[in-house]
Amino acid sequence: MKISEHYDIVFLGGRLSGGLGARFLKKNFKDKKILVLEKNEKLNWCAGESTVGVAGLFLIRELGLSTYCYLNHLPKNGLRFIFDDSNKPFSVETCSEIGANMLPVFPTFQIDRARLDMDLWELNREIGIDVLTGVEVNDIKVNPNGNHEVSFVREGQKIKVSCEWIVNSTGRYSSLNEFFKDSNPIVSQGYLNTASAWGRFTDVTDIDLLGDEKWREKAGFSSRYLSTTHFMKEGSWTWQIPIDRDVVSFGIVYDKSIVTDNTETEEGFLKLIKKNPFVNKLLENAKLLDFQRNSALDFRRKYFALPEKVIFLGEAFGFVDPFYSQGSDIISRECYMMKNLIEAGENYEHRRNVINQFITNEFEYINILYKDQYQAFGSFNVYNIKSKWDFYCYTNRLVWLFYSKKYADFNWIENEIENHFLTVKLTKAIQNGFIELNHHLRSINEYESGNTNNYSVKQNRFVFEEMIIASKYNDKFARQNHYSICMLTICELLEMRFKIKNLVNNKLIQQNMTLASITEFELSEKWFKEFLANISQNLKKILVQKGIIEPESEFMLSIEDFKEGHFQRAEFSAKVNTEISTMVFEQKYNHVQFQLDHLDEAARSYL
């Protein structure tokens, strides 16, 4: 390979983000000369082995790697979550579980990272990208007013190239980050207070051979082995990800304020993950092949892009949490951000400021999904509601936006920044509800009460997923569905907290969920009473207009009314009580026919 003196784009680092990013740019800018510099000539396994919907779509649609992925990696059978009750004898069959009983709509993969990253070197060379391995970069000169210079040594030869763009895709720990520590410092680290340790194993017990036929039938006889399985405990979760024939990745992520075990050694790591009885059963005869750890997972740099046309991709910019396997998703979206910047021309500075803010906002949003949530990870009752909200919002929002190529539209990116404050406020209100439910269940000793003999398919295929791939979905449906899932989740939280049934299908409750009531939601008796007071005020006007009650009558719905499922007041006749009960409790809400018409003006404006 002849090395040019000048390139349009130089990638520092040729692992996942560098390989995917270079391929994406080459497919979108065929005439641009791209160089990838990688220090290693042979790669080892590393984390980032599980993909979800956005990354799966990116690999297939944007990068043309469908056949490659199916022939060289494992198809993934969604995400799976398994709970056990620490106060009861362990049994595979009695563990509660959240997981699909059919294969997912959008294809995803379990990735052997060493294989993928190295294969991308050759695959990218085939489309005209210069990929050099065994390279030691020893100097980087960033020129604010012209071409940058990158100096490196390869096979004893000193080489210098110039370029218009530098993409730092080295990851968080590369020594090359020293060249950018002043211009792009780390501004957030340890916000989530999580750590992780992991390794690959051979001779792992096959989870699909465990349990009885009834237990295997719960998963539709699909392969649990091919899922990314989360074994849930208070303060932690342990993953199981198959990556090759008889090679399975196991790792634990934990909140350091809850789990204080030492994972600095292989022995400490094994001791901790085997505390989970299900994991212990799977690893009973297994052999550990390698060991890695990270004592502080989340971090973020100040900028995604610098004024001098330097971009920080993947973990060179930041990382949040691996719980939902979103690392490669973030890279996929960031690749579109790179494209927006490279084609900006004279508008680069404006686009840079907007995109920097957009990506910062995205990290803030993702952080909310995990902040203070690990304390509830051991409760099926909490997580069964949270998983539905998280997965529904992920598919309805992030997968749909990526599928419809919104990230390629700079005008859309600008508009999203305007909506960020309200989106965060709404998301925090919902996520805080999960935290409060956790506290409540602990206070009444029901934290693990649902951890046995429950199987939930709440994250099974959503109807709108099939609408998306059938080209029958649109932005209006997506906005309506987002609002609808917020209402549903609040009702499920209230049902669990106050032991009430059928709020989810109660027309009166659903139609009085204003945007203000949702964004100000708290899982508390105070909020619920205020919400019912507003409903009572609106309903009284209707009752007076219909002549059912007198204007001077006192009318107020209570939490107890909804617990009992009927309205009964001594001051009203039996007929009036029956009429009110019918209006309050017997009119069902049709979520399939969700419309904007009944929403308040603020909600319609937001949507």
Side-chain angles (χ1 to χ4, degrees):
M1 177 193 304
K2 183 179 179 181
I3 302 173
S4 300
E5 293 182 358
H6 177 79
Y7 287 87
D8 297 295
I9 308 162
V10 171
F11 280 78
L12 305 175
R15 292 223 62 163
L16 187 66
S17 61
L20 299 182
R23 188 174 184 85
F24 177 78
L25 292 183
K26 187 64 176 179
K27 283 185 167 289
N28 283 275
F29 303 103
K30 297 189 187 316
D31 295 333
K32 291 196 179 295
K33 296 174 67 175
I34 299 175
L35 174 66
V36 177
L37 300 175
E38 167 58 40
K39 69 177 182 178
N40 297 295
E41 293 187 277
K42 182 176 174 60
L43 299 176
N44 297 317
W45 290 311
C46 68
E49 297 152 324
S50 178
T51 66
V52 280
V54 168
L57 186 58
F58 184 67
L59 291 168
I60 291 172
R61 185 182 68 183
E62 271 74 5
L63 302 186
L65 295 174
S66 175
T67 302
Y68 164 79
C69 286
Y70 277 110
L71 293 181
N72 294 277
H73 302 278
L74 296 173
K76 174 178 170 179
N77 189 19
L79 302 179
R80 196 167 297 278
F81 306 86
I82 294 178
F83 303 78
D84 70 279
D85 190 328
S86 60
N87 299 308
K88 296 179 180 179
F90 170 75
S91 166
V92 167
E93 290 89 350
T94 61
C95 286
S96 289
E97 183 175 353
I98 302 169
N101 57 11
M102 62 181 72
L103 292 173
V105 172
F106 293 99
T108 54
F109 304 95
Q110 309 288 29
I111 298 294
D112 180 334
R113 280 288 310 279
R115 178 183 297 170
L116 173 63
D117 295 5
M118 288 192 292
D119 285 350
L120 278 170
W121 297 344
E122 190 56 40
L123 291 167
N124 286 346
R125 288 180 184 128
E126 291 174 1
I127 62 171
I129 299 171
D130 287 351
V131 180
L132 299 180
T133 60
V135 168
E136 181 185 350
V137 176
N138 51 30
D139 194 26
I140 301 169
K141 287 187 168 58
V142 175
N143 187 348
N145 303 309
N147 289 326
H148 312 309
E149 291 183 351
V150 179
S151 300
F152 57 92
V153 177
R154 182 172 184 261
E155 296 178 347
Q157 182 183 3
K158 294 181 180 179
I159 304 170
K160 180 188 294 184
V161 298
S162 62
C163 60
E164 182 182 0
W165 295 84
I166 291 176
V167 180
N168 181 359
S169 51
T170 58
R172 74 171 80 183
Y173 296 117
S174 170
S175 60
L176 298 185
N177 289 322
E178 287 294 307
F179 288 100
F180 308 106
K181 66 179 182 180
D182 294 327
S183 59
N184 198 14
I186 292 174
V187 293
S188 174
Q189 187 167 14
Y191 175 73
L192 299 177
N193 197 33
T194 50
S196 182
W198 63 95
R200 286 90 199 162
F201 293 79
T202 188
D203 297 330
V204 173
T205 299
D206 186 349
I207 191 172
D208 288 332
L209 298 181
L210 297 178
D212 56 21
E213 184 174 319
K214 185 177 179 180
W215 184 73
R216 295 192 292 273
E217 185 180 11
K218 289 178 180 179
F221 297 107
S222 64
S223 175
R224 286 181 171 94
Y225 178 81
L226 288 176
S227 300
T228 294
T229 301
H230 303 62
F231 300 96
M232 307 290 282
K233 281 292 185 182
E234 179 187 5
S236 72
W237 59 280
T238 299
W239 76 69
Q240 179 191 23
I241 303 172
I243 61 171
D244 202 350
R245 185 183 296 273
D246 196 30
V247 178
V248 183
S249 174
F250 279 84
I252 186 165
V253 184
Y254 56 95
D255 184 326
K256 292 183 287 187
S257 65
I258 301 172
V259 178
T260 58
D261 299 59
N262 188 332
T263 60
E264 293 182 1
T265 64
E266 293 182 7
E267 292 75 18
F269 162 60
L270 291 171
K271 182 179 179 181
L272 178 57
I273 63 171
K274 288 184 177 182
K275 284 184 177 181
N276 186 301
F278 208 127
V279 175
N280 184 56
K281 189 172 187 65
L282 293 171
L283 297 181
E284 194 171 16
N285 300 306
K287 301 179 184 65
L288 181 63
L289 301 176
D290 72 332
F291 170 67
Q292 298 166 324
R293 69 183 300 271
N294 190 324
S295 60
L297 287 178
D298 67 287
F299 83 103
R300 178 178 62 80
R301 294 192 181 276
K302 188 173 185 179
Y303 303 113
F304 174 71
L306 300 179
E308 301 84 2
K309 297 183 178 178
V310 179
I311 293 171
F312 295 78
L313 183 63
E315 280 200 54
F317 172 73
F319 184 79
V320 183
D321 190 285
F323 186 68
Y324 287 129
S325 306
Q326 289 196 65
S328 49
D329 268 27
I330 292 172
I331 294 170
S332 304
R333 293 190 291 270
E334 288 177 348
C335 283
Y336 269 108
M337 300 300 114
M338 284 199 300
K339 180 177 181 291
N340 273 292
L341 292 170
I342 288 171
E343 62 190 12
E346 294 181 356
N347 294 321
Y348 172 72
E349 190 57 22
H350 171 64
R351 286 201 176 191
R352 183 186 77 86
N353 289 328
V354 170
I355 286 172
N356 278 339
Q357 187 60 58
F358 179 87
I359 292 181
T360 298
N361 289 352
E362 179 178 73
F363 268 67
E364 179 185 3
Y365 173 81
I366 297 173
N367 267 312
I368 297 169
L369 302 181
Y370 306 112
K371 180 63 176 173
D372 296 326
Q373 298 290 339
Y374 270 63
Q375 57 189 304
F377 274 10
S379 174
F380 174 89
N381 288 334
V382 179
Y383 192 73
N384 193 33
I385 304 174
K386 177 174 166 59
S387 66
K388 180 179 177 180
W389 193 89
D390 289 351
F391 274 88
Y392 200 104
C393 290
Y394 170 76
T395 308
N396 181 59
R397 181 171 172 77
L398 296 179
V399 173
W400 164 245
L401 294 176
F402 198 85
Y403 189 90
S404 56
K405 296 190 175 182
K406 292 293 190 296
Y407 297 98
D409 183 352
F410 181 74
N411 291 329
W412 175 85
I413 294 170
E414 281 191 297
N415 291 334
E416 278 296 288
I417 291 175
E418 296 178 8
N419 294 326
H420 177 68
F421 174 78
L422 192 53
T423 299
V424 164
K425 187 175 182 182
L426 189 154
T427 304
K428 281 184 176 179
I430 300 289
Q431 296 293 328
N432 285 340
F434 304 133
I435 296 172
E436 290 306 314
L437 180 58
N438 161 60
H439 293 325
H440 172 71
L441 292 177
R442 288 174 186 278
S443 71
I444 61 173
N445 201 30
E446 292 186 8
Y447 177 77
E448 291 187 321
S449 64
N451 283 18
T452 55
N453 298 312
N454 284 302
Y455 190 92
S456 172
V457 293
K458 282 192 173 184
Q459 57 141 310
N460 232 356
R461 292 181 177 184
F462 300 121
V463 172
F464 67 83
E465 289 182 280
E466 298 184 12
M467 292 175 66
I468 290 173
I469 61 175
S471 300
K472 295 180 180 179
Y473 207 61
N474 57 44
D475 291 341
K476 181 180 180 181
F477 284 155
R479 291 191 294 270
Q480 290 176 358
N481 279 331
H482 184 65
Y483 199 88
S484 181
I485 192 59
C486 290
M487 297 192 301
L488 284 167
T489 303
I490 287 174
C491 286
E492 288 192 356
L493 287 167
L494 292 170
E495 287 176 355
M496 179 65 71
R497 167 64 177 82
F498 294 102
K499 299 186 182 301
I500 297 172
K501 295 181 179 180
N502 296 322
L503 284 186
V504 162
N505 297 314
N506 185 292
K507 189 173 183 178
L508 184 68
I509 292 290
Q510 296 291 325
Q511 290 192 338
N512 281 275
M513 283 278 182
T514 65
L515 184 64
S517 65
I518 291 176
T519 54
E520 300 299 329
F521 168 69
E522 294 178 2
L523 189 59
S524 65
E525 189 171 301
K526 177 176 178 291
W527 181 91
F528 199 10
K529 285 182 176 179
E530 289 175 354
F531 178 65
L532 293 179
N534 289 331
I535 291 179
S536 301
Q537 187 177 17
N538 295 333
L539 184 57
K540 181 179 179 179
K541 293 176 183 177
I542 297 172
L543 294 171
V544 170
Q545 288 173 356
K546 290 187 173 184
I548 297 174
I549 64 174
E550 299 298 324
E552 62 272 14
S553 299
E554 296 222 357
F555 176 76
M556 180 67 69
L557 294 169
S558 71
I559 296 175
E560 290 302 315
D561 293 330
F562 285 87
K563 286 184 177 181
E564 295 169 5
H566 64 88
F567 182 85
Q568 184 70 40
R569 296 291 187 275
E571 62 267 30
F572 294 140
S573 69
K575 180 181 178 182
V576 168
N577 280 321
T578 299
E579 288 187 72
I580 294 174
S581 289
T582 299
M583 293 180 68
V584 174
F585 300 110
E586 295 185 16
Q587 296 187 53
K588 304 303 179 185
Y589 186 77
N590 190 335
H591 293 278
V592 176
Q593 297 178 349
F594 175 84
Q595 297 294 329
L596 297 179
D597 299 343
H598 73 266
L599 299 180
D600 62 299
E601 184 177 348
R604 288 198 299 272
S605 175
Y606 173 65
L607 297 177

